[in-house]
């Protein structure tokens, strides 16, 4: 049961990462605020992928 729970948590993290990437892709303006927001979203997506790798026992990239 623990493996299923870990797999479900990893799926949630990946889902969140893709959602954050979609949000970042929607930002098309070049203002400073937009760039900073996009960088923040991309950083959060990277963290979600890192958490997924950790949950699945994979080495960090």
């Amino acid at each position: 049961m623990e493996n299923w729970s870990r797999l479900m948590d990893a799926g949630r993290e990946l889902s969140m990462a893709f959602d954050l990437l979609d949000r970042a892709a929607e930002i098309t303006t070049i203002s400073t605020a937009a760039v900073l927001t996009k960088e923040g979203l991309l950083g959060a997506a990277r963290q979600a992928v890192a958490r997924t790798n950790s949950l699945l026992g994979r080495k960090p990239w």
Side-chain angles (χ1 to χ4, degrees):
M1 190 62 135
E2 180 181 324
N3 289 336
W4 284 109
S5 176
R6 190 179 304 170
L7 187 60
M8 288 173 43
D9 290 342
R12 274 189 224 105
E13 291 290 343
L14 273 182
S15 177
M16 183 171 56
F18 279 109
D19 181 53
L20 291 166
L21 290 173
D22 285 342
R23 289 186 201 176
E26 292 173 358
I27 297 174
T28 57
T29 58
I30 309 174
S31 69
T32 303
V35 171
L36 291 175
T37 299
K38 194 170 195 171
E39 286 179 1
L41 290 169
L42 293 174
R46 279 188 207 99
Q47 291 173 356
V49 171
R51 287 190 300 270
T52 299
N53 283 336
S54 175
L55 284 167
L56 297 176
R58 294 176 163 242
K59 294 182 181 180
W61 19 286

